[in-house]
Amino acid sequence: MCRTKIFMLFTGLMLFSLWQGNTTLSAETTTEARTVTLTFTYIRQFAQSSNQFAVWIEDSQKHHVKTIFVTDFTSKEGWKKQKGVLPDWVESADPEDMKTDEIDAVSGPTPDQGELSYTWDCTNQDGNPVPDGDYHFFVEGATGWRSRILQKGTITIGNTKDRATSWARYFGNNEKGHSMIGRVKAEFIP
């Protein structure tokens, strides 16, 4: 009789432990699901030194949090070869100090034109989750020699969904290039 009670108690504790473990797993899964999706229209340009762009996140103190995407040419020291190409991203990300594997993880060929979408997993450059708060998203594009566009917006990371759109600044005199990067739509999913 005593063995039966001990067995039942042991089994109960095991089931309780498994249930607790699943609860913890669910909480971790929820944390991992937090994302910000950035969507915009990209239109290929036919001007010298164009079609390079970068997508990145900064915190409310203007500290670089993470580069989401940068075109291959720019990432492979194109920013050195063509001074003035994507200067805001260069200042924020400091690619000189980025490791090769960091650059490789976020770089890619210039995509075909159309609707583009990039997802931020709400982690910093080291892969650690960021705290709740306001974050700035940027898409900077080279629209020609010494001409560029910068789309910027702010989204709030927290317990509720959030949506935001960017505003644009244009630099240089390539007015035709103003359409290269359309207004960025951001959506946070907790």
Side-chain angles (χ1 to χ4, degrees):
M1 180 79 123
C2 194
R3 283 187 189 181
T4 305
K5 286 183 183 179
I6 292 172
F7 177 75
M8 288 176 60
L9 180 62
F10 180 73
T11 304
L13 286 172
M14 294 268 302
L15 289 173
F16 181 75
S17 295
L18 287 171
W19 177 75
Q20 285 290 71
N22 285 340
T23 302
T24 304
L25 183 60
S26 294
E28 289 173 8
T29 303
T30 302
T31 302
E32 290 176 13
R34 293 165 46 118
T35 60
V36 172
T37 302
L38 304 171
T39 308
F40 58 93
T41 302
Y42 164 69
I43 299 174
R44 185 173 289 280
Q45 302 298 298
F46 297 98
Q48 181 183 10
S49 300
S50 62
N51 300 309
Q52 301 304 308
F53 67 90
V55 180
W56 76 96
I57 306 293
E58 292 181 6
D59 65 19
S60 60
Q61 304 301 309
K62 299 183 180 179
H63 298 120
H64 186 81
V65 173
K66 191 171 196 176
T67 297
I68 308 302
F69 176 82
V70 63
T71 49
D72 270 339
F73 174 79
T74 301
S75 72
K76 296 194 172 36
E77 299 192 353
W79 55 274
K80 280 184 179 178
K81 295 173 188 167
Q82 293 182 0
K83 297 287 185 198
V85 171
L86 310 185
D88 288 325
W89 174 75
V90 169
E91 183 178 335
S92 178
D94 193 12
E96 185 96 58
D97 287 341
M98 289 178 79
K99 298 174 190 135
T100 303
D101 59 333
E102 286 179 301
I103 289 281
D104 289 346
V106 297
S107 65
T110 304
D112 292 333
Q113 69 180 16
E115 185 92 354
L116 303 181
S117 184
Y118 296 92
T119 301
W120 174 42
D121 62 1
C122 297
T123 63
N124 63 21
Q125 206 71 24
D126 297 324
N128 300 317
V130 297
D132 291 353
D134 290 339
Y135 290 86
H136 305 294
F137 56 91
F138 297 86
V139 179
E140 181 178 30
T143 62
W145 184 250
R146 303 261 184 228
S147 294
R148 62 191 173 93
I149 183 172
L150 179 67
Q151 293 279 357
K152 176 185 177 182
T154 304
I155 192 137
T156 302
I157 306 296
N159 294 325
T160 58
K161 287 184 180 182
D162 192 27
R163 290 185 177 171
T165 55
S166 66
W167 52 268
R169 284 190 66 195
Y170 304 98
F171 304 87
N173 56 11
N174 182 11
E175 289 187 25
K176 292 179 185 176
H178 290 181
S179 64
M180 182 179 136
I181 304 287
R183 184 175 297 260
V184 180
K185 297 174 191 161
E187 181 176 21
F188 167 67
I189 309 253

